[in-house]
Amino acid sequence: GQNIDQPTEMTATEGAIVQINCTYQTSGFNGLFWYQQHAGEAPTFLSYNVLDGLEEKGRFSSFLSRSKGYSYLLLKELQMKDSASYLCAVRDSNYQLIWGAGTKLIIKP
Amino acid sequence: GAVVSQHPSWVICKSGTSVKIECRSLDFQATTMFWYRQFPKQSLMLMATSNEGSKATYEQGVEKDKFLINHASLTLSTLTVTSAHPEDSSFYICSARGDRDYEQFFGPGTRLTVL
């Protein structure tokens, strides 16, 4: 079966760095996505990785290792507005997005 | 980035009535649109994939006669929840795929409450 695993909840301090991990087992791989979702709102696109390595975009970076079925989202200089759920999604061989359950990130002052 | 709108943003209806939700891509043509449902504290669940001019492809367990999807143009897809019941109360989100196949833009969502 297809499976995406990510921690249910994480807590971090304002100004710090946090890494949210995602491991996956899917039938085929055509890219991995990270989305941010604030409570009661739709997800917004953060990053897309299809090749191994690190993609940096401002305070957010995303890493992929296809051989390990592993990705992480790195958030630096955390701000209170970063409190949200972070969803990892993998596109399989049928180009269908398989979604993780999301990681709720709580930022404390 | 591209903009996807949904209407209405929230709706409250009586059990047994039908509700139509519209999803529009405002500044790009979307050949493929997706409809998701999200229950509280759960992840997105894909309900169906709709391609312009053809019948939607429903995920296993989603009743196509209950959730009617129409994708009549490259900028509009509609989801009609027929004979809604309280268990259909959820957050419904549409998304549209842009020109570059890795891009998927989400609408703001529609919160449906069935009394």
Side-chain angles (χ1 to χ4, degrees), chain A residues 29-30 94:
Chain A
F29 178 85
N30 282 295
N94 294 321

mmCIF file with all atom_site columns, all heavy atoms in Angstrom, chain A residues 29-30 94:
data_model
loop_
_atom_site.group_PDB
_atom_site.id
_atom_site.type_symbol
_atom_site.label_atom_id
_atom_site.label_alt_id
_atom_site.label_comp_id
_atom_site.label_asym_id
_atom_site.label_entity_id
_atom_site.label_seq_id
_atom_site.pdbx_PDB_ins_code
_atom_site.Cartn_x
_atom_site.Cartn_y
_atom_site.Cartn_z
_atom_site.occupancy
_atom_site.B_iso_or_equiv
_atom_site.pdbx_formal_charge
_atom_site.auth_seq_id
_atom_site.auth_comp_id
_atom_site.auth_asym_id
_atom_site.auth_atom_id
_atom_site.pdbx_PDB_model_num
ATOM 1  N N   . PHE A 1 29 ? 7.220  7.412  -8.158  1.00 0.00 ? 29 PHE A N   1
ATOM 2  C CA  . PHE A 1 29 ? 7.494  8.740  -7.582  1.00 0.00 ? 29 PHE A CA  1
ATOM 3  C C   . PHE A 1 29 ? 7.623  9.756  -8.707  1.00 0.00 ? 29 PHE A C   1
ATOM 4  O O   . PHE A 1 29 ? 8.425  9.595  -9.626  1.00 0.00 ? 29 PHE A O   1
ATOM 5  C CB  . PHE A 1 29 ? 8.794  8.692  -6.768  1.00 0.00 ? 29 PHE A CB  1
ATOM 6  C CG  . PHE A 1 29 ? 9.185  10.018 -6.176  1.00 0.00 ? 29 PHE A CG  1
ATOM 7  C CD1 . PHE A 1 29 ? 8.657  10.431 -4.966  1.00 0.00 ? 29 PHE A CD1 1
ATOM 8  C CD2 . PHE A 1 29 ? 10.063 10.865 -6.843  1.00 0.00 ? 29 PHE A CD2 1
ATOM 9  C CE1 . PHE A 1 29 ? 9.007  11.656 -4.415  1.00 0.00 ? 29 PHE A CE1 1
ATOM 10 C CE2 . PHE A 1 29 ? 10.419 12.085 -6.299  1.00 0.00 ? 29 PHE A CE2 1
ATOM 11 C CZ  . PHE A 1 29 ? 9.896  12.488 -5.075  1.00 0.00 ? 29 PHE A CZ  1
ATOM 12 N N   . ASN A 1 30 ? 6.812  10.809 -8.578  1.00 0.00 ? 30 ASN A N   1
ATOM 13 C CA  . ASN A 1 30 ? 6.883  11.896 -9.557  1.00 0.00 ? 30 ASN A CA  1
ATOM 14 C C   . ASN A 1 30 ? 6.859  13.244 -8.851  1.00 0.00 ? 30 ASN A C   1
ATOM 15 O O   . ASN A 1 30 ? 6.185  14.168 -9.277  1.00 0.00 ? 30 ASN A O   1
ATOM 16 C CB  . ASN A 1 30 ? 5.732  11.791 -10.563 1.00 0.00 ? 30 ASN A CB  1
ATOM 17 C CG  . ASN A 1 30 ? 5.975  10.735 -11.617 1.00 0.00 ? 30 ASN A CG  1
ATOM 18 O OD1 . ASN A 1 30 ? 6.887  10.855 -12.426 1.00 0.00 ? 30 ASN A OD1 1
ATOM 19 N ND2 . ASN A 1 30 ? 5.176  9.686  -11.601 1.00 0.00 ? 30 ASN A ND2 1
ATOM 20 N N   . ASN A 1 94 ? 0.859  7.266  -11.103 1.00 0.00 ? 94 ASN A N   1
ATOM 21 C CA  . ASN A 1 94 ? -0.348 7.688  -11.821 1.00 0.00 ? 94 ASN A CA  1
ATOM 22 C C   . ASN A 1 94 ? -0.554 9.201  -11.759 1.00 0.00 ? 94 ASN A C   1
ATOM 23 O O   . ASN A 1 94 ? -1.616 9.700  -12.116 1.00 0.00 ? 94 ASN A O   1
ATOM 24 C CB  . ASN A 1 94 ? -1.577 6.984  -11.243 1.00 0.00 ? 94 ASN A CB  1
ATOM 25 C CG  . ASN A 1 94 ? -1.548 5.485  -11.478 1.00 0.00 ? 94 ASN A CG  1
ATOM 26 O OD1 . ASN A 1 94 ? -1.142 5.036  -12.546 1.00 0.00 ? 94 ASN A OD1 1
ATOM 27 N ND2 . ASN A 1 94 ? -1.959 4.720  -10.483 1.00 0.00 ? 94 ASN A ND2 1
#
